[in-house]
Amino acid sequence: MANELDMTEEEKVQYIVVKIGSEQYGINISLVDNIVRMQKITRVPKAPAYYPGIINLRGEIVPVMSARNKMGLGEDVITNQSRIIILKLEVQGLVGILVDEVKEVISLGESEIDRSAQNSKRQGNTYINGIGKSGDELISIFEINSIVDEVAVS
Amino acid sequence: MDVSQYLDIFIDETSEHIQALSDNIMILENEPENKDTINEIFRAAHSLKGMAGTMGFKRMQHLTHDMENVFSEVRNDNIKVNSEMIDLLFNCLDAIEAYLDNVKSTSDEGTEDNEVLIKKLNAYLDGSAGDGGSDDSGDSAEAAPEETAEEAVEESTDSEDPNGKDHYKALKLDENDISKIREAAESGLNIYGLTIHVQKECLLKAARAFLVFKALEDFGEILHYDPSSSDIEDEKFDLAFSCIISSDSTDIEAMKSAVGAVSEIESVDIGKVTAEMYEKPVEEVPKEEAKTEAPAPAPAAEKPAAKASQKSSAPAKKAANKPVTARTVRVDIEKLDALMNQVSELIIAKNSIVSISSMDTSGAEYDSQSLHEQIEYLERITTNLHESVMKVRMVPIESTVNKFPRMIRDLSRKLNKPMELVMTGEETELDRTVVDQIGDPLQHLLRNSADHGIESPEVRKAAGKPEEGSIFLNAFQEGNNVIIQVGDDGGGIDTEKVLNKAIERGLVSEEEAENLSQKEIIDFLFMPSFSMAKQITDISGRGVGLDVVKSNIEALGGDVEVKSTLGQGSTFTVRLPLTLAIIQALMVEIRDEKYAIALGSIMNIEDISINDIKYVEAKEVIHLRGLVIPIIRLDQLLDCEPREEEPENLTVVVVKKGDSYAGLVVDNLMGQQEIVIKSLGKVIENNKLISGATILGDGEVALIIDVNTLI
């Protein structure tokens, strides 16, 4: 549809740019329910290590995961800038992701995202599906489905 | 007019009537002469027929009508009840249930005519005295020749009177309709005109017309209404209305009888029509159009438009056919009254608090005291309110279990094993969602009992038992749980055989097998695809069995236990939680984390000196009033940080599940609280130790420990 309407301007997708460690990551804004400040996370015993626990989001229980831990980038460092991005996913429901800082919202067209870069790098687990270029900055686009687990059937 | 708003009621009531029929037919089988039962059956069948007719489910109506005829013959002592007939009647009930299922999932009865059943029913009627029996078969037969005769006469009469015969031939169609007809004819469809005459005394003409059109829509698309569809809906017609339909069927008689099946329809005129029949007055114009090439695209353009409208109407119809699942609960008016009372009390309590807050701040101490009183009052009300709301959600398990006697009867005949089902405690109430889902597991357990449990009559005789096997289902409440026991007086579980099978399948080594307790051996039965049946029957033995039962029951927050004595039978005990959403819980602290333990499973709380802990098989136990209770250190289990030094005394919460106990060591008791259970979220839900989480008054989250998995 977009093609018919406007051939010259390609469809842009908005991403929330967050910082984890020294890297910047983009999360498709359509998946984000809201962003909350850091709050007390209740530990859940026997949960995978990358799930620090659950939080109370206005009366709802929301599991929070550490993207940093999942990607093997070490332990989270909680600062004043830390935020929890609440994602609303179809299968998994609400899931929070701990990030070090929320920077901005950017729009990227498909031409500004390099889809091939990450392929050869890490074998096995890749959590990004492209690298976006916004000015001088490089932003890794999260592949949410590989970050957040499939709902495990035990 | 739309009947879909009545669909829920229809589904509810139909299932009730089916159940009543099934129950009473069972009674009838045992007491064929019981007049009350027969009358009861007759009434139920009659209401069923009436409802099906009102809703326009013709096939269902037809079947129930014939059943009703049989019952009426039974009532008049023209037919004797025998078990063959009972079988047939049960088959009919199954067929009606199948219709109902169809209605539930698609809002339509489906296309199964069940002619075999109807024929069999009629065979019974014909076999009887014949006076009343021919009633039914005659119905259609008589009607048909009459109508065909009429048709022959009709040919000649061609009047402008809308009530006249074959009015459909004299309809005045506009260009649009004619082109629709032409298109339909071009695409190979048959075009029929119909004039439907309703009876003079018909009260709900619009409703009948609606049902007629609904019936016709099964055959094809209605192209034209006369009078217009909105006029028909508003009953702006006299005693007849006409329509033109395009259909891929050539079976005029089927169409005719479908329409004729709608009640209060006097007669139906039907015949093939063509576009030419209607376009005489404007003959010249289309010819001219055909000559010149230019206007040709015009009808062509019309075509997609018509198609588009056709298409858009089709999905709309589909959307309307979405599944209708009964999500209703019938509530006792007394329960509602109690609820109402509590809500008014709640309002009073709120008002008191409002008045306290608006009071002068002169006596601050007095304020806080009365506020405290009000809060206590409020607490009492909310507890009661919760109880009442839970009660509203509770339904007797009767609705689920009352189909079982019939099932056992069928199984008894199929397996050639006489057996009887004795049920007690059908009135035991459970949460609606639990009742809905407990049916399948229970059914499975009963089938197991019938198939594997009860021995053949010869074996039973040899064992000195009565030939007729007995299966029981007992339900009762125990604390915060409902217990349902399903068992039999059959052969019991042969643990020897189970063990051999387990070894054969490599589930356990022979050395290990020697040390297994009876209970552990029986637990093998709950392993996936572990079937003990020597041969696969359609009743059981496919190995999808007890493991599914177990997981179904566990999904409901319950558990299942087996007790079995070889030669004397086995009993499956299903334990289910009374409520799902809100529970009373004991809040405990372990290090700085808060956990909730359901109060229902707590037996008592003990203060135990560390010296009282004994060791059995290197496991910590305590000896308490004659019971040896294993100690579970929750801090270790829950991976809490270890304490620097062990305290002298331990606080132990003794929990119980069935006959087993466990002592949970906690750091601190915080008190009792009513908590709302929330799911942990799907990604970490598969956590066995924790059954959920709850939000405390200060917004903090506490986890709920699932005691059942600990023991």
XYZ file of all heavy atoms in Angstrom, chain B residues 118 142 149 237 239 326 328 334 360 370 401 439 451 501 525 571:
119
model
N -33.886 -41.688 11.790
C -35.289 -41.351 11.584
C -36.025 -42.554 11.011
O -37.138 -42.877 11.420
C -35.399 -40.111 10.663
C -34.934 -38.880 11.451
C -36.810 -39.934 10.158
C -34.799 -37.636 10.644
N -48.494 -37.204 2.620
C -49.769 -36.576 2.288
C -49.557 -35.212 1.680
O -50.195 -34.846 0.707
C -50.608 -36.398 3.556
C -51.500 -37.577 3.874
C -52.036 -37.452 5.282
O -52.449 -36.338 5.652
O -52.000 -38.457 6.010
N -50.305 -31.492 -6.892
C -51.575 -31.302 -7.561
C -51.840 -29.810 -7.723
O -52.222 -29.340 -8.796
C -52.706 -31.949 -6.753
N -46.681 -7.269 4.534
C -47.209 -8.079 3.443
C -48.411 -8.829 3.971
O -48.612 -8.946 5.175
C -46.150 -9.030 2.889
C -45.634 -10.046 3.883
C -46.160 -11.331 3.915
C -44.623 -9.712 4.783
C -45.677 -12.263 4.828
C -44.150 -10.644 5.685
C -44.676 -11.919 5.712
N -50.500 -12.254 2.927
C -50.374 -13.658 3.297
C -49.353 -14.392 2.431
O -49.217 -15.596 2.517
C -51.738 -14.355 3.191
C -52.717 -13.998 4.309
C -54.072 -14.588 4.030
C -52.220 -14.461 5.666
N -20.882 -21.351 25.634
C -21.691 -20.922 26.762
C -20.777 -20.477 27.884
O -20.087 -21.274 28.491
C -22.574 -22.075 27.225
N -21.965 -18.722 30.436
C -22.914 -18.197 31.398
C -22.983 -19.103 32.617
O -22.691 -20.279 32.553
C -24.315 -18.089 30.791
O -24.681 -19.382 30.318
C -24.343 -17.113 29.658
N -30.805 -16.384 45.713
C -30.391 -16.117 47.086
C -28.944 -15.658 47.152
O -28.586 -14.765 47.918
C -30.550 -17.375 47.942
C -31.886 -17.438 48.639
C -32.039 -18.733 49.406
O -31.065 -19.144 50.067
O -33.121 -19.327 49.312
N -13.862 16.983 62.228
C -12.870 17.927 62.761
C -11.672 17.157 63.299
O -11.810 16.070 63.832
C -13.491 18.763 63.892
C -14.418 19.805 63.312
O -14.241 20.115 62.112
O -15.313 20.265 64.031
N -11.579 5.088 65.714
C -12.794 4.767 64.962
C -12.440 4.389 63.521
O -13.115 3.564 62.907
C -13.770 5.944 64.988
O -13.218 7.035 64.304
N -21.044 -34.596 35.947
C -21.027 -36.032 36.210
C -22.308 -36.737 35.770
O -22.301 -37.952 35.631
C -20.764 -36.348 37.695
C -19.435 -35.786 38.134
C -21.876 -35.831 38.583
N -14.443 -32.784 33.589
C -15.206 -33.849 32.945
C -14.345 -34.893 32.258
O -14.487 -36.092 32.505
N -13.096 -50.641 31.908
C -12.359 -51.486 30.974
C -11.347 -52.383 31.688
O -11.328 -53.599 31.498
C -11.646 -50.601 29.952
C -11.260 -51.394 28.724
O -11.855 -52.470 28.524
O -10.369 -50.951 27.977
N 6.501 -54.313 33.279
C 6.364 -53.455 32.116
C 7.347 -52.285 32.208
O 7.962 -51.900 31.216
C 4.929 -52.929 32.071
C 4.642 -52.083 30.884
C 3.847 -52.854 29.853
C 3.587 -51.984 28.655
N 2.481 -52.441 27.851
N 2.107 -45.722 36.274
C 0.925 -45.646 35.427
C 0.698 -44.231 34.916
O 0.046 -44.023 33.909
C -0.313 -46.107 36.207
C -0.358 -47.584 36.564
C -1.568 -47.873 37.417
C -0.406 -48.423 35.302
N -8.894 -47.260 43.760
C -9.567 -45.981 43.923
C -8.629 -44.860 43.510
O -7.490 -44.806 43.969
C -9.972 -45.767 45.392
O -10.747 -46.869 45.812
C -10.753 -44.487 45.554
